[in-house]
Amino acid sequence: MAPEFGESGAVKSYKLKKRRKKQSKKDSKTRTVHSNLLYSCAKGDENPNRHYAHNNIKTTKYTLLSFLPKNLFEQFHRFANVYFVFIALLNFVPIVNAFQPELALAPVVFILSVTALKDLWEDYRRHRSDKEINHMDCLVYCRNERKYLEKYWKEIQVGDFIRLRCNEIIPADVLLLSSSDPDGLCHIETATLDGETNLKQRQVVRSFSELDCVFDPTQYKAVIECEKPNNDLNRFRGYMIHRSGRRDGLHKENLLLRGCTIRNTEEAVGIVIYAGHETKAMLNNNGPRYKRSKLERQMNVHVFWCVIILVVMCLFAAIGHGLWVRQYGEHRPLFDVPSPEGPALSPALSAVYLFLTMIIIFQVLIPISLYVSIEIVKICQVYFIHQDLDLYDEETDSHLQCRALNITEDLGQMQYIFSDKTGTLTENKMVFRRCTVMGEEYSHDANARRLATYQEADSEEEECTSKAGTLPRRDSVTSHQSVKVMHRSQSTKSHRRTGSRAEAKRASILSKHTAFSSPMEKDITPDPKLFDKVNECASQLYLMRSQGQPMNHLASELSDVIDFFIALTICNTVVVSSPNQPRHKVRVRLELKSPVKTIEDFIRRFTPSRLTGSNSSSSSSLVTNRSTHKTCSSLLSSPSAESTLMGLEEELGPAPRREAGPASPPGGDGELRYEAESPDEAALVYAARAYNCALVGRLPEQVTVELPHLGKLTFELLHTLGFDATRKRMSVVVRHPLTGEIVVYTKGADSAIMDLTRHGSTDENRGKHQRKILNKTQNYLNLYAADGLRTLCIAKRVLSKEEYACWLKSHLEAESAIQSREQLLFESALRLEKNLHLLGATGIEDRLQDGVPETIAALRKAGLQVWVLTGDKQETAINIAYSCKLLDHEEEIITLNAETPEACAVLLDKSIHYIQSKFVNNTLNPAAEDFEVDFTPFQIPSSSSVHRLGLVIDGRTLAYALDKRLEDKFLAVARSCRSVLCCRSTPLQKSMVVKLVRNKLKVMTLAIGKYCIQRYIIIILLINRQVLYIEV
Amino acid sequence: MASSYNAKEEDGQLSGAAGSGGVGAGKSKKPDNTAFKQQRLPAWQPILTAGTVLPAFFVIGLIFIPIGIGLFVTSNNIKEFEIDYTGIDPASECYNCSQTLTWNSTKPCICKVPFTLEQSFESDVFMYYGLSNFYQNHRRYVKSRDDSQLNGDTSSLTSPSKECEPYRTSDNKPIAPCGAIANSLFNDTLTLYYINPNGTESLVPLIKKGIAWWTDKNVKFRNPGGSNFNLTAVFQGNSKPVNWRKPVYELDTDPENNGFINEDFIVWMRTAALPTFRKLYRLIEKKNNMIPTLQRGNYTLEITYNYPVRRFDGRKRMILSTISWMGGKNPFLGIAYITVGSVCFFLGVVLLIIHQKYGNRNNSAEIPN
């Protein structure tokens, strides 16, 4: 039962190593990559890239010739086969043979041939999929034709230039040299590598990002020196030597990895660095590791015992035989047939022969056939799992995929399930649920109802789109559904244009999970009350503007309302894109880089003429220092084009949209899509759009927002202070086009914002009012949190010119600082984000996957312990846990928060005592008050339940608890709890927890999520129509 | 590798979905809702409850006990007489024969063993010889025969199977019949005399045909040469087995009982499973209804003592037995039936009591604490 597959992997890697060694003899420790275009005329010798692996992958184990010996060799790693062959060979020894030797061979040959056929078939499948992958298309620059030509993946060589389009899969490890993105960014989705569906940014190599013109491969003359192929996905080092001798450092941000998918980027060009088997993805993949199931392990133990029994029996028989023969002495009895060879054997020798004979005779004692039959049973099991209707998902027309044949039965033996939260329990689709503005709560009941009914509508609609390529019968579905159908079909169409058909399909399905929000997130039913207010406020502003009044005399409540939505709209890094236009997305980098470069610049800009600048001509003139490429794209997106659309839209009548159910966003917006780095941001922007405050365009230095009645307003974006984990907030500094004030809009976690709000005000009345609002908002926030919503607070601050100038000075200093720049910028941000004026708060729902509470209940009923390991903060995690019924309000919750290892130890001890006193003695009057330090039993548990306990532990405490000295105690506590919730835990901690439980408790564990340490096989399970990626 | 496979497989999946979009639901991957695929085939899983188990016990008990009694009575009615004539005891009649006998001795040794039947044997009597400590089940012994030779195959006659080694050839001639089994053929001759009350001996007629299985006699064993009754000519090229006194074609004078189809030989060739066994030797048929087959009284068993068993500490016996519908005397079967039936009945009663006393409680709670 040796792990044959693992072995072969090892062999492979060994070979690779050997090959690498050979290479390293040839050249130095680094890899040098030249452009192939310099050498392309001669296929051969002078091309320095010729030694590197081609992109042709071959994952098959055997060739036609090597199949028989190699396969046999592998099969003889199995104890059973060796045993069989031993028995068969024994039969060929005449003195001990019991049966016809040829007959004894039959079972061995049968088993070996069946396994060989199975392996052959698997290898053939691998071969086929290899072929398919090798024959995927890719655009490669061809020197002779001077353009990009379609080539197969397998023809790509190191040093080739390839052009990747949106939603294409990257064929090899590519150094990014150019991107359609003006900032030289390219987004990739690494779901196939690490399972994370969020987008990752990659940057064009520094010297190329400053190029003005379109990248031309023929001009490329540089030489790349980088490290040898290795399997570390997160490391890439090297440098590029230009003709001029200049060196540019390369790091992993420049590398596009094979297997990832290009997202949100129209086009990217790069040079192939590693190809084929030398890509990081391939090196990382040592083939499926052979994993033995518990059953198999147990069976081995039993077979071992069988062997011992067999030996004992044979020994017994042999000794008995020896004695029996000896008893007759020299006189052979009639029936004791002498051996054909001649003289009678001595008793001892005949005993030895009999021992061997007995092994043959008793061979059935060892249930070798069991291995074969179990294998057959497993195949049947997999077949039935495949065929199970309950595990079939209609929406995606997919059923469960079982990647590992040999551990299916282990699924039934799981005792612990470790689950990620985001993406597993929740959909990672953020949906705007409710908000509170100026202390007034808008419950968005209609929205909630819509979400509740969404599921049925969604599946229905799914069917419609899939059945007919064009639009389905529209009369049969309600109006808002038809709108959605339109969205969907348009989006698929647009994809079809970009890539091959299969790719488009893939993209359209994937897009549901990744870059583009689903209709559920997009369509938000506005709250009528708030909608009225927004309209009223906007119309007043409109009036004021038309009458030429100064804008800042609006009633404070109304202005706050409109500010709230403006903040929602612009205080983010969301990018607007429309699929059928060339992408005009412009992303503000998250580095704290401010467009205002100098004080002079600031002063120059700060001229009254620009204060009212809402028209496009002046703003577009700002954007001159950028590339032509960009000007072109910004022209396309210029408001003039959109204002015509706007006009059209207004003619259609904007006001009665309220009745139209979910706000179908302003004109032509079927095409408008928001791409956000975090789904929260997108949710907020979509929410604002529902109130007709739509984000129309974003350029590095301006944001265009469309407001009701007011039309398009362009906010001049002065600074963006990006989100960071310590501040837990982000801010934008803009110039308000109507009032001309410089406003800071801040969005962040409630704890971060609430402390920064302005308490004391000069105006006593206002101050009181403000405090009241604060209190109210805080109450609502608590309510939201209890509902399991993710809360965000929105605040603003109006800066006077002097304040701004003062801050700007220090900020620019910070930006230009060389040492401890980060720290200075951080402090600068802190200086800005104070005395905030609270506008409101939002509650965003990270929707649970369908059927999660039921699934958890079912799992629990089956006696499984469910642990959720999440990086979320404690409150959110607890709320989510409540909403998915992981924790129960009936339940008592032990919360472990400790600052030091000592405190943690004390806490754990106390918990153990507490659990013992509570549940062993079953006294309902524990001295719970004694442990008040940080350990608060929320409720007295109902006496009937023995272990109705939940354990909540945060990341820091977890780190202490996972210490060698404390882990036993931690386990003791955790075991006696019904559910365990680890918040704020790092991926490393997550894997440590899983390892700890698996090794210490000796139980089967199932880890779900992207942090799986047992990344051997992926089984996609559909529980209650929900797709989980379960890696066992 | 995994990554690329992922991509590929998803592709495949999606193209399937695309197909369903274009053509209709034809290519859908939805599993068939059939009884087999959804594992809804009818199945029967007996659930053992007190209601089913208790009657089963009683029924088994009530059926088995009468059967056992019947078998036991029948077995007891069978008359059996057994006499050991090995001659281990110096006082016994065959002591001399047993002491002097070897396979090579040419002069037959005859001894007479008197015995008395306490009761008369009414129906047909079967006469057996029995051997003890004779391992006819020895692995190599069992194999040491050539069935095709015994079936009359002439090619096997001239070159017997390898299995017969080392009793395959002697004097460079193939042995017929070859092998250890044939070689060790039981060759004592038993004759039975009834001692009339007046002191004269009268021979009890023993029938030597009809003691072998029909299939053995007619199918498995055939003389070579087909209809040629001149067995002497047929076995010309063969030598007799080493231990035999006379060749195979002189086993009997009756051509229907000579050669390979000699019934004593056939009976011997059917090896016994245990070291102590008995083999049918002769039949004593009931002549008329008036006189019992074997009257009570004194008899003499005359033995032509040829078969040496002393070397392996063996015993030889002669058994006279009647039979019934259930075969020979075998009290075990009846006792076994009675025991099993009684145990079942007893268990039934015990379980019934337990059920009556505690049954109600178990119905309510699955797991009593």
Side-chain angles (χ1 to χ4, degrees):
Chain A
M1 297 291 100
E4 34 190 293
F5 297 116
E7 204 97 336
S8 76
V11 168
K12 202 189 289 170
S13 69
Y14 171 65
K15 273 184 195 159
L16 259 176
K17 249 180 243 164
K18 242 167 78 180
R19 202 187 306 157
R20 239 179 282 161
K21 247 180 223 160
K22 263 188 218 157
Q23 261 180 28
S24 66
K25 265 175 215 161
K26 235 177 272 170
D27 46 40
S28 61
K29 277 176 195 153
T30 57
R31 149 173 293 208
T32 325
V33 179
H34 301 257
S35 160
N36 273 350
L37 301 174
L38 304 175
Y39 304 93
S40 77
C41 46
K43 273 267 169 211
D45 299 337
E46 66 268 35
N47 189 337
N49 298 334
R50 68 184 182 278
H51 302 301
Y52 303 135
H54 289 215
N55 206 33
N56 191 6
I57 58 160
K58 184 171 158 298
T59 55
T60 53
K61 267 197 274 186
Y62 313 111
T63 62
L64 270 181
L65 269 179
S66 75
F67 174 73
L68 206 63
K70 213 169 161 187
N71 186 259
L72 279 181
F73 177 74
E74 267 170 26
Q75 287 202 46
F76 285 138
H77 280 102
R78 269 197 152 193
F79 170 70
N81 293 337
V82 175
Y83 176 80
F84 260 133
V85 169
F86 169 69
I87 294 288
L89 291 182
L90 212 55
N91 249 320
F92 278 98
V93 181
I95 202 153
V96 295
N97 77 334
F99 308 118
Q100 292 276 323
E102 296 80 20
L103 258 174
L105 261 183
V108 194
V109 171
F110 175 74
I111 287 172
L112 291 184
S113 55
V114 165
T115 317
L117 277 180
K118 195 195 87 189
D119 288 349
L120 194 67
W121 182 69
E122 276 181 1
D123 214 47
Y124 175 67
R125 269 188 19 168
R126 264 194 291 266
H127 171 73
R128 254 189 0 200
S129 77
D130 279 355
K131 204 172 152 191
E132 203 170 313
I133 289 166
N134 283 335
H135 285 82
M136 295 218 282
D137 287 332
C138 174
L139 285 178
V140 179
Y141 192 85
C142 175
R143 183 167 122 141
N144 301 332
E145 312 269 334
R146 298 211 163 256
K147 62 181 182 193
Y148 291 95
L149 289 182
E150 289 233 329
K151 271 193 178 179
Y152 289 139
W153 276 27
K154 64 171 181 182
E155 292 164 344
I156 296 173
Q157 289 181 10
V158 173
D160 276 347
F161 291 93
I162 56 174
R163 188 161 79 182
L164 299 158
R165 289 158 303 190
C166 191
N167 299 324
E168 259 187 0
I169 300 167
I170 302 168
D173 286 358
V174 171
L175 192 71
L176 186 61
L177 295 178
S178 148
S179 164
S180 58
D181 185 294
D183 283 346
L185 292 180
C186 173
H187 295 256
I188 58 172
E189 185 192 289
T190 54
T192 47
L193 291 185
D194 51 18
E196 294 179 36
T197 49
N198 60 334
L199 300 184
K200 296 199 175 57
Q201 279 190 0
R202 290 291 187 262
Q203 264 177 324
V204 170
V205 176
R206 200 180 302 149
S207 51
F208 290 93
S209 61
E210 285 145 24
L211 281 182
D212 284 351
C213 52
V214 177
F215 175 76
D216 180 10
T218 50
Q219 300 301 309
Y220 175 86
K221 296 283 190 303
V223 175
I224 296 158
E225 288 243 6
C226 57
E227 53 190 9
K228 290 264 139 201
N230 57 34
N231 64 354
D232 192 348
L233 288 176
N234 291 320
R235 206 185 76 168
F236 174 69
R237 274 193 221 117
Y239 48 86
M240 185 182 271
I241 310 167
H242 293 275
R243 269 285 150 88
S244 56
R246 211 182 90 191
R247 285 186 172 200
D248 271 329
L250 306 176
H251 45 102
K252 75 170 178 114
E253 296 296 319
N254 304 128
L255 196 67
L256 307 176
L257 297 174
R258 180 188 172 117
C260 301
T261 313
I262 301 274
R263 296 274 183 218
N264 289 8
T265 311
E266 190 71 17
E267 232 179 52
V269 177
I271 181 167
V272 177
I273 298 288
Y274 305 120
H277 286 281
E278 290 178 344
T279 56
K280 287 179 185 287
M282 295 296 280
L283 285 175
N284 233 323
N285 198 322
N286 298 329
R289 256 178 70 180
Y290 185 78
K291 205 178 164 219
R292 256 182 256 169
S293 70
K294 202 177 178 183
L295 185 82
E296 208 168 317
R297 270 177 284 163
Q298 209 155 12
M299 199 164 71
N300 281 348
V301 172
H302 291 310
V303 166
F304 178 71
W305 279 110
C306 283
V307 169
I308 286 181
I309 292 171
L310 173 83
V311 169
V312 167
M313 281 172 73
C314 290
L315 264 180
F316 181 80
I319 292 170
H321 181 75
L323 293 176
W324 185 76
V325 170
R326 194 220 287 275
Q327 158 202 316
Y328 295 111
E330 286 305 299
H331 312 284
R332 308 292 297 186
L334 267 182
F335 44 81
D336 188 11
V337 186
S339 65
E341 269 72 37
L345 298 162
S346 74
L349 199 59
S350 64
V352 170
Y353 285 139
L354 188 93
F355 181 81
L356 295 175
T357 311
M358 282 296 159
I359 289 181
I360 303 178
I361 290 172
F362 290 150
Q363 64 174 329
V364 277
L365 196 73
I366 297 187
I368 291 304
S369 56
L370 191 66
Y371 287 107
V372 182
S373 26
I374 279 188
E375 213 130 281
I376 292 169
V377 167
K378 277 178 184 171
I379 289 172
C380 296
Q381 216 172 10
V382 169
Y383 173 77
F384 281 121
I385 289 174
H386 267 265
Q387 293 298 328
D388 200 332
L389 260 185
D390 291 337
L391 298 175
Y392 168 76
D393 189 45
E394 301 242 9
E395 279 180 44
T396 51
D397 188 37
S398 59
H399 45 72
L400 180 139
Q401 287 183 29
C402 188
R403 296 277 173 85
L405 293 182
N406 52 345
I407 56 169
T408 44
E409 75 271 11
D410 274 1
L411 271 182
Q413 296 176 9
M414 295 298 165
Q415 289 180 40
Y416 285 80
I417 291 189
F418 298 90
S419 172
D420 198 1
K421 189 184 76 66
T422 312
T424 309
L425 296 183
T426 61
E427 287 178 324
N428 204 14
K429 289 180 188 170
M430 305 300 171
V431 180
F432 178 81
R433 272 299 301 278
R434 42 191 11 184
C435 67
T436 158
V437 183
M438 296 315 292
E440 199 161 336
E441 217 267 320
Y442 302 96
S443 60
H444 290 75
D445 292 328
N447 198 30
R449 273 199 301 278
R450 184 184 65 86
L451 287 174
T453 56
Y454 202 86
Q455 207 45 49
E456 301 117 56
D458 197 32
S459 58
E460 203 177 298
E461 164 224 346
E462 199 80 40
E463 248 165 60
C464 292
T465 37
S466 67
K467 272 200 185 118
T470 56
L471 286 180
R473 301 156 296 162
R474 240 196 252 184
D475 8 281
S476 66
V477 284
T478 63
S479 66
H480 92 258
Q481 276 170 355
S482 72
V483 170
K484 269 184 297 189
V485 172
M486 239 179 18
H487 278 282
R488 189 66 61 96
S489 56
Q490 274 164 346
S491 72
T492 23
K493 239 186 270 165
S494 68
H495 278 298
R496 208 167 275 161
R497 214 168 295 143
T498 50
S500 71
R501 248 190 57 190
E503 242 168 58
K505 285 286 170 195
R506 177 184 143 80
S508 69
I509 295 280
L510 277 183
S511 65
K512 278 198 346 197
H513 305 294
T514 55
F516 315 115
S517 308
S518 71
M520 183 172 67
E521 291 158 277
K522 282 183 198 169
D523 306 334
I524 285 145
T525 321
D527 194 90
K529 221 164 54 173
L530 190 58
F531 195 84
D532 286 342
K533 267 193 192 159
V534 175
N535 266 338
E536 186 191 341
C537 163
S539 59
Q540 278 192 29
L541 278 173
Y542 178 68
L543 270 174
M544 284 179 182
R545 188 168 71 173
S546 56
Q547 288 160 13
Q549 286 175 3
M551 296 292 175
N552 34 11
H553 293 309
L554 197 64
S556 90
E557 196 206 357
L558 284 179
S559 78
D560 281 343
V561 169
I562 202 84
D563 268 339
F564 178 75
F565 283 103
I566 289 171
L568 286 190
T569 318
I570 63 175
C571 183
N572 50 42
T573 53
V574 171
V575 172
V576 188
S577 72
S578 54
N580 55 355
Q581 290 172 19
R583 242 154 243 271
H584 60 70
K585 79 182 201 67
V586 174
R587 190 173 295 264
V588 175
R589 277 192 221 167
L590 282 186
E591 300 159 24
L592 304 181
K593 180 185 91 176
S594 50
V596 185
K597 293 281 185 305
T598 57
I599 302 260
E600 290 75 47
D601 184 25
F602 159 66
I603 290 163
R604 180 172 55 77
R605 285 193 197 189
F606 217 74
T607 48
S609 68
R610 295 200 26 78
L611 283 180
T612 52
S614 72
N615 71 44
S616 57
S617 58
S618 59
S619 65
S620 64
S621 67
L622 262 173
V623 208
T624 47
N625 55 345
R626 287 279 168 170
S627 68
T628 48
H629 179 81
K630 200 165 131 195
T631 349
C632 154
S633 63
S634 71
L635 267 175
L636 265 166
S637 73
S638 70
S640 61
E642 268 152 15
S643 61
T644 53
L645 281 173
M646 259 304 297
L648 224 133
E649 156 75 2
E650 260 165 31
E651 272 175 22
L652 287 171
R657 195 168 289 117
R658 214 186 320 155
E659 281 79 32
S664 49
D669 58 322
E671 312 292 331
L672 266 191
R673 280 207 307 262
Y674 298 135
E675 290 165 15
E677 268 172 12
S678 84
D680 303 66
E681 290 191 341
L684 290 180
V685 176
Y686 282 118
R689 192 176 71 171
Y691 289 96
N692 292 343
C693 303
L695 180 67
V696 187
R698 175 182 290 269
L699 294 175
E701 289 164 24
Q702 69 184 68
V703 188
T704 314
V705 176
E706 188 201 306
L707 292 175
H709 301 288
L710 296 167
K712 222 168 277 286
L713 291 179
T714 302
F715 287 74
E716 191 181 338
L717 195 59
L718 300 172
H719 301 276
T720 306
L721 307 173
F723 181 86
D724 74 51
T726 30
R727 270 164 56 232
K728 291 184 194 162
R729 57 183 177 261
M730 74 165 291
S731 305
V732 288
V733 185
V734 293
R735 195 200 315 278
H736 200 295
L738 297 181
T739 57
E741 289 167 324
I742 291 173
V743 187
V744 182
Y745 289 110
T746 306
K747 178 185 80 178
D750 46 354
S751 55
I753 301 282
M754 280 307 197
D755 297 340
L756 298 172
T757 45
R758 162 177 52 182
H759 287 290
S761 175
T762 43
D763 187 345
E764 191 56 40
N765 245 349
R766 259 187 89 98
K768 215 185 242 168
H769 184 63
Q770 185 76 32
R771 263 198 298 281
K772 217 168 117 193
I773 287 173
L774 272 178
N775 287 337
K776 271 187 180 168
T777 311
Q778 187 59 55
N779 283 340
Y780 287 126
L781 282 174
N782 294 343
L783 278 176
Y784 289 175
D787 274 356
L789 299 180
R790 297 159 75 102
T791 53
L792 281 175
C793 281
I794 314 288
K796 77 161 183 178
R797 179 187 177 193
V798 180
L799 287 177
S800 66
K801 275 181 207 172
E802 293 73 32
E803 277 175 315
Y804 179 65
C806 177
W807 175 80
L808 182 68
K809 200 176 161 211
S810 64
H811 185 71
L812 288 175
E813 268 170 21
E815 268 189 349
S816 55
I818 299 157
Q819 280 178 337
S820 63
R821 180 164 167 266
E822 301 294 318
Q823 182 62 28
L824 285 174
L825 281 176
F826 178 74
E827 282 163 11
S828 160
L830 285 189
R831 274 198 299 280
L832 186 69
E833 291 158 344
K834 61 185 182 189
N835 291 333
L836 297 174
H837 170 70
L838 185 72
L839 293 173
T842 57
I844 296 172
E845 186 179 10
D846 185 4
R847 274 171 55 90
L848 284 179
Q849 303 256 19
D850 297 316
V852 164
E854 292 86 348
T855 309
I856 285 183
L859 289 175
R860 204 171 262 170
K861 209 173 156 195
L864 291 156
Q865 276 204 31
V866 182
W867 291 32
V868 171
L869 315 172
T870 170
D872 276 2
K873 66 172 183 171
Q874 198 159 327
E875 293 82 18
T876 319
I878 289 175
N879 289 328
I880 292 285
Y882 274 123
S883 62
C884 68
K885 302 278 192 297
L886 181 71
L887 297 177
D888 201 346
H889 284 287
E890 307 270 294
E891 245 170 32
E892 190 167 347
I893 289 173
I894 298 177
T895 313
L896 298 177
N897 296 328
E899 299 293 317
T900 60
E902 291 77 24
C904 176
V906 171
L907 263 176
L908 283 172
D909 278 336
K910 281 180 179 173
S911 317
I912 292 172
H913 284 304
Y914 176 73
I915 292 164
Q916 279 172 351
S917 66
K918 189 110 188 167
F919 296 113
V920 175
N921 306 329
N922 223 358
T923 49
L924 261 178
N925 184 22
E929 283 73 20
D930 293 355
F931 314 125
E932 274 305 275
V933 201
D934 225 336
F935 173 65
T936 36
F938 284 6
Q939 261 173 335
I940 300 159
S942 53
S943 55
S944 63
S945 57
V946 185
H947 283 305
R948 293 187 74 81
L949 263 177
L951 178 72
V952 178
I953 186 166
D954 70 355
R956 194 199 306 208
T957 322
L958 193 62
Y960 302 138
L962 289 176
D963 189 80
K964 276 272 174 289
R965 286 166 292 131
L966 290 179
E967 57 184 19
D968 288 320
K969 283 180 190 170
F970 169 63
L971 272 183
V973 175
R975 274 179 93 174
S976 49
C977 294
R978 209 167 65 124
S979 41
V980 177
L981 183 63
C982 303
C983 344
R984 284 250 173 272
S985 49
T986 61
L988 183 69
Q989 280 178 340
K990 291 174 181 178
S991 75
M992 274 167 70
V993 170
V994 178
K995 261 185 207 156
L996 178 72
V997 172
R998 196 183 47 186
N999 296 339
K1000 283 270 171 172
L1001 299 184
K1002 303 253 181 294
V1003 289
M1004 304 289 290
T1005 56
L1006 173 71
I1008 310 168
K1010 52 196 170 197
Y1011 52 82
C1012 284
I1013 49 167
Q1014 314 160 292
R1015 176 190 294 280
Y1016 303 151
I1017 313 100
I1018 301 175
I1019 301 175
I1020 303 172
L1021 248 194
L1022 299 97
I1023 298 175
N1024 289 352
R1025 298 256 177 275
Q1026 154 209 6
V1027 184
L1028 291 180
Y1029 291 83
I1030 296 187
E1031 304 190 5
V1032 183
Chain B
M1 206 152 65
S3 62
S4 9
Y5 280 128
N6 271 353
K8 189 227 115 209
E9 255 156 65
E10 271 173 63
D11 269 352
Q13 197 176 310
L14 295 167
S15 60
S20 78
V23 184
K27 271 189 184 175
S28 164
K29 283 188 176 177
K30 187 172 180 174
D32 299 333
N33 191 3
T34 58
F36 175 69
K37 287 188 173 174
Q38 301 308 318
Q39 301 186 62
R40 276 187 272 103
L41 287 178
W44 180 68
Q45 271 185 310
I47 297 165
L48 299 177
T49 61
T52 57
V53 170
L54 284 178
F57 271 121
F58 283 116
V59 167
I60 291 172
L62 290 178
I63 291 174
F64 275 32
I65 292 174
I67 292 177
I69 291 171
L71 286 172
F72 190 68
V73 168
T74 322
S75 169
N76 272 358
N77 283 339
I78 291 169
K79 297 191 183 71
E80 204 177 75
F81 177 81
E82 192 173 323
I83 182 168
D84 188 322
Y85 67 90
T86 322
I88 299 297
D89 184 11
S92 61
E93 288 78 2
C94 290
Y95 179 68
N96 281 334
C97 288
S98 70
Q99 290 301 307
T100 57
L101 186 77
T102 56
W103 283 108
N104 306 332
S105 52
T106 45
K107 199 171 144 261
C109 176
I110 293 172
C111 56
K112 291 188 173 189
V113 181
F115 64 93
T116 308
L117 288 183
E118 298 297 333
Q119 357 168 243
S120 58
F121 285 47
E122 300 292 338
S123 55
D124 287 355
V125 175
F126 292 76
M127 188 182 186
Y128 302 91
Y129 61 89
L131 292 174
S132 294
N133 224 358
F134 191 99
Y135 289 85
Q136 249 201 326
N137 55 4
H138 192 285
R139 190 168 55 82
R140 286 206 299 276
Y141 180 85
V142 168
K143 284 197 300 182
S144 182
R145 62 192 285 167
D146 186 350
D147 280 320
S148 66
Q149 190 192 49
L150 297 172
N151 199 24
D153 186 36
T154 38
S155 64
S156 295
L157 194 67
T158 48
S159 62
S161 146
K162 286 259 188 321
E163 302 280 347
C164 285
E165 288 288 0
Y167 303 109
R168 191 162 163 261
T169 54
S170 88
D171 308 331
N172 291 326
K173 280 182 176 175
I175 293 175
C178 77
I181 309 178
N183 188 47
S184 59
L185 176 70
F186 181 78
N187 54 3
D188 280 4
T189 315
L190 307 175
T191 9
L192 199 59
Y193 294 97
Y194 174 61
I195 299 172
N196 292 315
N198 55 18
T200 57
E201 287 185 347
S202 61
L203 185 73
V204 178
L206 302 173
I207 299 163
K208 58 169 95 171
K209 282 170 80 173
I211 54 172
W213 295 18
W214 187 90
T215 46
D216 282 0
K217 172 98 179 170
N218 296 292
V219 180
K220 269 184 92 176
F221 290 79
R222 267 188 224 136
N223 274 325
S227 55
N228 184 3
F229 289 113
N230 189 1
L231 287 175
T232 320
V234 172
F235 288 109
Q236 199 58 54
N238 299 86
S239 70
K240 68 179 176 58
V242 188
N243 287 348
W244 286 22
R245 302 269 166 81
K246 47 192 176 184
V248 67
Y249 47 87
E250 286 174 18
L251 284 176
D252 202 357
T253 48
D254 180 4
E256 285 299 311
N257 196 27
N258 201 4
F260 290 156
I261 53 169
N262 178 276
E263 295 203 13
D264 282 330
F265 174 67
I266 293 172
V267 167
W268 181 256
M269 292 305 284
R270 189 159 279 279
T271 53
L274 295 171
T276 300
F277 59 92
R278 56 170 72 164
K279 282 183 185 292
L280 192 54
Y281 185 63
R282 292 292 183 264
L283 300 174
I284 307 168
E285 269 185 350
K286 191 181 176 73
K287 289 204 185 86
N288 61 51
N289 293 332
M290 291 294 103
I291 320 158
T293 322
L294 288 178
Q295 294 164 343
R296 51 188 291 234
N298 293 326
Y299 289 82
T300 305
L301 178 68
E302 193 187 274
I303 305 132
T304 314
Y305 204 109
N306 290 326
Y307 204 69
V309 292
R310 213 167 54 93
R311 272 235 310 261
F312 55 87
D313 210 14
R315 295 284 181 280
K316 298 195 283 192
R317 289 160 295 143
M318 192 279 299
I319 302 116
L320 295 168
S321 168
T322 58
I323 58 162
S324 69
W325 55 268
M326 58 162 282
K329 194 179 178 89
N330 185 8
F332 173 79
L333 198 59
I335 293 170
Y337 264 101
I338 292 171
T339 315
V340 171
S342 318
V343 166
C344 280
F345 194 81
F346 174 73
L347 275 179
V349 172
V350 169
L351 290 178
L352 184 68
I353 292 167
I354 291 174
H355 181 61
Q356 285 299 321
K357 259 192 141 175
Y358 306 104
N360 295 335
R361 197 190 296 170
N362 284 348
N363 284 345
S364 55
E366 296 109 301
I367 306 153
N369 283 320

